[in-house]
Amino acid sequence: MTTRVILVRHGQSSYNAQHRIQGRLDDSVLTEKGCNAAYQVGDTLANLTFDAIYCSPLKRAKQTAELIVSRLKTPPPLQPTELLMEIDLPLWAGLLRQDAIEKYPEDYQCWHERPDEFFMLLSEPDGERKHFPVLAVFEQARQFWRETLARHQDQTVLIVAHNGINRSLIATALSIEAKYYQSIQQSNCGISVLNFSDVTPGELPKPASVQLQSMNLTSHVGNPFPSVRPEHKGPRILLVRHGETEWNRNGQFQGQIDVPLNDNGREQAQKAAEFLKNVQLDFAFSSSLLRPKETAEIILQYHPEIELQFDRDLWEISHGLWEGKFEAQIEQLYPGLLQQWKIAPETVQMPEGENLQQIWTRSKLAWERIVKAYDQQPVTGIVVAHDAINKAILAQLFNLPPEHFWNFKQGNGAVTVIDYPNGINGDPVLQASNITTHLFEGILDKTAAGAL
């Protein structure tokens, strides 16, 4: 059984437009731009059927939810819940962001660089109390998952809430630590998709039972992906998975066998090329296997000045004796090992092939070489690689070990956006993940599933 959760941040509010900190202050309302974007979300979700819809009771989120619901065909009742309230920042709420920076410079730096250590000293009748906003909202998110997933197994749920709580919901679902709070982007009316399977009622999901299908999709509101901030100091890397091969479509394990793109894969690469046509690219790397190489070359037709560079450490995982085989054949030859790969992939040694720790090691080496080469340069480039490599790169952004291999979906021809706003020595920011809206109508990834 699978529970699908569609997660939406509210539309632009009056405080967003004024660059004010909101927290749980309930003074702001949607701007006209925010209302229009909420309607666009509703139109984008109109073909989906929801079993439940939850929202924050704060006006900006509740109004967004109501506008979305007005575009749905047969929506269930809207359920406000305080477990979806925004992160609580009582000493800053209502302040202009710049005023908060100037009035609380050390605290603001801690908020951005060490959010799990950030606290506010609150005065109460019986003395002062340390309030840790990020740790508190993470626990709030965990409680929401414990209650909600138990209630909606094998259903589709819509959640409309805020930047901080949405980040925390994504992070706690994937077991990402609170110190990475600032490393997950949530744009106004951005859409994220989470899939949960085999959830035990009242417990948080285990690593192999949750998948971030896509994160922070914004094409429906006119933005292919979030723009680079002016103060950005390091590189932006667009991580792309190669287009489809015939073996992808057939569910045949390919690994390091050099299978070319099929016609659909070339079309996916062309759509990715059109999607990135107007992006200023400064560099390009790829695995040298045919399928990512051809994908990269198709993308670079619109960027002829860019030289494609290759890195052997970006090759797909070696499946060893599994390569060229279908699941039924693998099960017959290695009884139980395929199921083990699906539920505890970190424990599997591919027969005469690699294990995930090896993939973690070499993908990290390749990624660090690329980031280091463009450190302290506000440039943008593409890295075109494979399913297992891309999954490993994404997990390591949050220091997640190989048991989290299945957490990040990477569809054929999908684009993921990763920023290094402070260069290699600062935390990366996952701006958007597994964008496939250039390949299909709607927000769901419909690329071939199955073997790598």
Side-chain angles (χ1 to χ4, degrees):
M1 296 194 300
T2 299
T3 298
R4 173 173 287 152
V5 175
I6 311 292
L7 189 62
V8 180
R9 184 188 173 192
H10 65 76
Q12 185 195 65
S13 70
S14 51
Y15 272 29
N16 290 147
Q18 296 165 17
H19 304 291
R20 288 187 184 276
I21 296 170
Q22 303 182 101
R24 295 190 173 180
L25 197 63
D26 203 16
D27 291 346
S28 66
V29 294
L30 295 187
T31 62
E32 181 180 358
K33 178 180 178 180
C35 291
N36 291 335
Y39 283 128
Q40 288 170 318
V41 172
D43 292 339
T44 302
L45 303 180
N47 291 326
L48 298 178
T49 300
F50 293 100
D51 299 287
I53 303 177
Y54 294 93
C55 73
S56 161
L58 297 177
K59 285 183 290 192
R60 56 193 186 273
K62 189 168 183 286
Q63 185 182 3
T64 301
E66 289 168 345
L67 295 178
I68 293 171
V69 165
S70 73
R71 300 295 183 122
L72 304 182
K73 293 173 183 175
T74 54
L78 184 60
Q79 300 180 63
T81 169
E82 292 192 356
L83 287 175
L84 292 176
M85 293 271 280
E86 179 57 306
I87 187 171
D88 191 16
L89 299 167
L91 299 184
W92 293 0
L95 291 179
L96 292 170
R97 186 178 297 113
Q98 189 58 40
D99 288 346
I101 293 171
E102 293 173 2
K103 188 175 181 180
Y104 305 97
E106 293 182 3
D107 288 344
Y108 202 88
Q109 184 177 2
C110 182
W111 158 250
H112 270 278
E113 296 178 2
R114 305 182 309 282
D116 56 322
E117 299 176 14
F118 169 68
F119 67 88
M120 291 181 167
L121 201 58
L122 305 183
S123 297
E124 297 188 343
D126 55 350
E128 292 184 323
R129 174 177 67 89
K130 285 185 178 180
H131 166 58
F132 290 84
V134 174
L135 298 184
V137 78
F138 263 56
E139 184 50 42
Q140 176 185 318
R142 294 186 189 99
Q143 188 58 31
F144 179 85
W145 288 134
R146 291 186 195 104
E147 294 184 13
T148 306
L149 293 177
R151 204 179 294 137
H152 298 291
Q153 294 195 39
D154 204 27
Q155 295 185 347
T156 299
V157 178
L158 174 62
I159 296 170
V160 183
H162 307 267
N163 187 6
I165 181 61
N166 284 15
R167 291 183 186 187
S168 306
L169 288 167
I170 292 168
T172 52
L174 301 177
S175 302
I176 294 171
E177 295 179 23
K179 67 180 180 179
Y180 295 106
Y181 171 83
Q182 301 287 7
S183 294
I184 299 172
Q185 173 69 293
Q186 291 289 280
S187 302
N188 289 124
C189 280
I191 299 174
S192 303
V193 183
L194 287 153
N195 297 320
F196 299 88
S197 60
D198 300 321
V199 176
T200 302
E203 295 184 9
L204 292 173
K206 295 178 176 63
S209 66
V210 57
Q211 177 197 68
L212 182 63
Q213 183 182 117
S214 298
M215 194 200 82
N216 205 32
L217 305 178
T218 54
S219 294
H220 54 284
V221 291
N223 303 318
F225 39 77
S227 58
V228 178
R229 292 182 178 272
E231 65 272 19
H232 202 89
K233 298 174 184 175
R236 161 169 284 190
I237 303 179
L238 307 176
L239 181 63
V240 182
R241 185 185 175 198
H242 64 77
E244 183 185 270
T245 70
E246 207 57 32
W247 287 27
N248 286 143
R249 176 155 292 278
N250 295 335
Q252 192 172 3
F253 282 79
Q254 48 196 351
Q256 296 185 357
I257 293 179
D258 210 3
V259 182
L261 299 180
N262 61 16
D263 288 343
N264 187 49
R266 294 186 188 94
E267 183 179 351
Q268 289 171 333
Q270 183 61 42
K271 287 180 178 179
E274 296 289 340
F275 184 61
L276 301 175
K277 180 178 180 179
N278 296 319
V279 176
Q280 173 64 49
L281 295 183
D282 302 288
F283 62 88
F285 286 83
S286 174
S287 157
S288 56
L289 293 177
L290 283 173
R291 50 198 189 268
K293 178 176 180 288
E294 187 177 359
T295 301
E297 289 171 343
I298 291 171
I299 292 172
L300 292 178
Q301 67 183 296
Y302 296 119
H303 309 270
E305 72 284 0
I306 303 298
E307 177 187 358
L308 181 60
Q309 303 174 69
F310 299 103
D311 194 314
R312 176 65 174 77
D313 283 333
L314 292 174
W315 275 34
E316 180 60 293
I317 185 174
S318 170
H319 287 300
L321 298 179
W322 286 17
E323 292 184 358
K325 295 181 173 60
F326 297 93
E327 287 196 358
Q329 295 172 302
I330 292 170
E331 178 58 30
Q332 185 176 12
L333 292 168
Y334 308 96
L337 194 59
L338 189 63
Q339 182 62 16
Q340 186 179 342
W341 169 245
K342 292 177 179 179
I343 63 174
E346 75 282 3
T347 66
V348 173
Q349 172 65 55
M350 297 290 175
E352 296 187 22
E354 292 181 296
N355 58 48
L356 282 183
Q357 190 56 61
Q358 291 171 291
I359 299 308
W360 250 240
T361 298
R362 65 177 172 88
S363 64
K364 182 178 182 180
L365 289 172
W367 190 255
E368 287 182 346
R369 281 194 295 269
I370 295 168
V371 177
K372 188 174 181 180
Y374 299 95
D375 189 28
Q376 299 303 312
Q377 300 179 53
V379 294
T380 299
I382 60 168
V383 172
V384 185
H386 305 264
D387 191 20
I389 292 295
N390 288 14
K391 283 178 161 69
I393 288 169
L394 285 165
Q396 290 180 88
L397 296 180
F398 305 101
N399 199 32
L400 294 173
E403 66 187 271
H404 292 269
F405 178 71
W406 296 113
N407 284 168
F408 299 92
K409 178 76 188 293
Q410 288 288 280
N412 293 117
V415 177
T416 294
V417 185
I418 302 165
D419 282 350
Y420 285 81
N422 296 303
I424 196 169
N425 292 322
D427 287 334
V429 177
L430 183 59
Q431 292 280 354
S433 180
N434 200 44
I435 303 170
T436 59
T437 48
H438 53 289
L439 306 176
F440 314 102
E441 289 186 8
I443 60 164
L444 300 183
D445 181 347
K446 304 182 185 71
T447 55
L452 282 66

